[in-house]
Amino acid sequence: MANSPSKPKKPRRPKTAVVLLSGGLDSATALYWAKARGYALEAVSFHYGQRHDREIKSAIRLARRAGARHHESRLPLLGPAAASALTDSRQRLPNLPLKKIGQGGIPTTYVPARNTMFLAAALSLADAIGAEAIVIGANVLDYSGYPDCRPAFLKAFEKVARLGTKSGAEGRRIRILAPLLKLDKAGIVRLARRLGVPLELTWSCYNGTKTVCGRCDSCKLRAKGFSDVGVPDPAL
C-alpha cells in the first residue's frame, strides 16, 4: 500500500521585534543587533515635542537601510515644555565637562517619563501584532543620570508587559531587550562597527542644526566613544 503524501508544513512565522529608534548611535545599534538575531523589524520613532526633527529623518533612513517597517507616532507630553531642555528651545542645553556628565543629579535634558511612554506605545504595537520582543538602546554606564534607563526600570516594565497584555494573559511573553545596557560608548561603537551599522546616517546631537554642536552631553559622550576606539566618527 502506497504511503499517503504528507501535508506540507506551514512556514514558521519569523519572530518580530519592535525597536525604539530615535535615529542616534545607540538606537541604531540596537536595531542592527535585532536584525543580526533574525528578528523581523518594526521600528518606532516618536514626535514628542522635541526641539527638532533631525533625528527622525535619521531614523527613517536607518529603518529603510535595515529593511525595517518604520512607524512614526505623535506622543505629545502633557506636562509643560519647560520640564526639559529637550522640549523647551528657550533653555540652554548643558555644556558640562565630560567627567561631570551624569554627576550631580538628574540633568535638565531628562524628559519626564519618556521611556515609560515610549515603551507603553511599543508594547501596544507588540501586543497587537504578536511581536516577541521590544528592543531599546538604553545603557546604564553612559546614561547621563536618566532614571528610565536603569535595569530595575526595564525589568519592572517587562513585568508590566506580562501582566497587562493579551499576549501575557495567553502565556506569550513579550521580552524587553536592552542589548547595550552594560556597554559604554566605546563598546557601543565597537558593536556597531561589527554589526555593519551605517553610522554616517545616525544623529546624536541634542541640537537640530546642520552640523553637530560638539558641546551637549550626547555629543561629548559620542565623541569619547569614537576616540576611545581610535576611529573617526563617520557622521562628521
Side-chain angles (χ1 to χ4, degrees):
M1 184 176 179
N3 293 329
S4 58
S6 58
K7 293 182 180 180
K9 292 182 179 180
K10 291 183 179 180
R12 296 180 67 180
R13 182 182 70 85
K15 56 185 181 178
T16 301
V18 176
V19 184
L20 298 180
L21 184 63
S22 71
L25 168 64
D26 296 356
S27 68
T29 305
L31 177 72
Y32 273 76
W33 176 89
K35 179 181 180 181
R37 275 149 185 78
Y39 284 102
L41 303 172
E42 302 278 343
V44 185
S45 305
F46 297 96
H47 299 267
Y48 60 92
Q50 61 264 57
R51 297 166 73 108
H52 61 83
D53 65 354
R54 175 64 180 77
E55 60 187 3
I56 300 290
K57 294 176 182 177
S58 287
I60 292 170
R61 296 186 184 108
L62 286 162
R64 185 181 300 125
R65 183 75 67 87
R69 183 160 61 173
H70 186 250
H71 307 261
E72 290 182 56
S73 177
R74 297 201 172 272
L75 200 64
L77 304 176
L78 295 179
S84 172
L86 292 192
T87 54
D88 185 357
S89 59
R90 297 168 298 180
Q91 293 189 47
R92 283 189 177 184
L93 291 167
N95 184 6
L96 296 172
L98 188 62
K99 290 183 179 180
K100 290 189 176 182
I101 295 175
Q103 307 296 320
I106 297 171
T108 59
T109 51
Y110 166 70
V111 179
R114 179 175 61 175
N115 279 349
T116 304
M117 294 189 298
F118 288 178
L119 284 169
L123 180 59
S124 176
L125 175 60
D127 194 28
I129 66 176
E132 288 80 6
I134 296 170
V135 181
I136 181 172
N139 69 76
V140 74
L141 297 181
D142 286 338
Y143 73 128
S144 295
Y146 297 162
D148 54 0
C149 289
R150 296 171 181 168
F153 165 75
L154 298 172
K155 185 177 180 180
F157 198 90
E158 188 168 77
K159 185 176 181 180
V160 169
R162 176 170 55 85
L163 296 176
T165 62
K166 178 183 177 184
S167 297
E170 293 177 348
R172 291 179 286 110
R173 181 183 179 191
I174 299 175
R175 302 178 66 197
I176 308 298
L177 303 178
L180 316 183
L181 195 61
K182 296 182 179 180
L183 296 179
D184 60 10
K185 276 293 185 288
I188 293 170
V189 170
R190 291 188 187 98
L191 178 60
R193 285 165 54 84
R194 193 159 64 244
L195 293 171
V197 178
L199 292 167
E200 70 279 4
L201 299 182
T202 61
W203 181 271
S204 301
C205 181
Y206 288 151
N207 279 292
T209 49
K210 280 189 175 182
T211 58
V212 299
C213 72
R215 298 184 302 274
C216 68
D217 291 2
S218 186
C219 276
K220 288 177 179 177
L221 289 171
R222 177 174 174 139
K224 182 179 184 300
F226 279 93
S227 175
D228 288 349
V229 175
V231 297
D233 184 345
L236 300 180

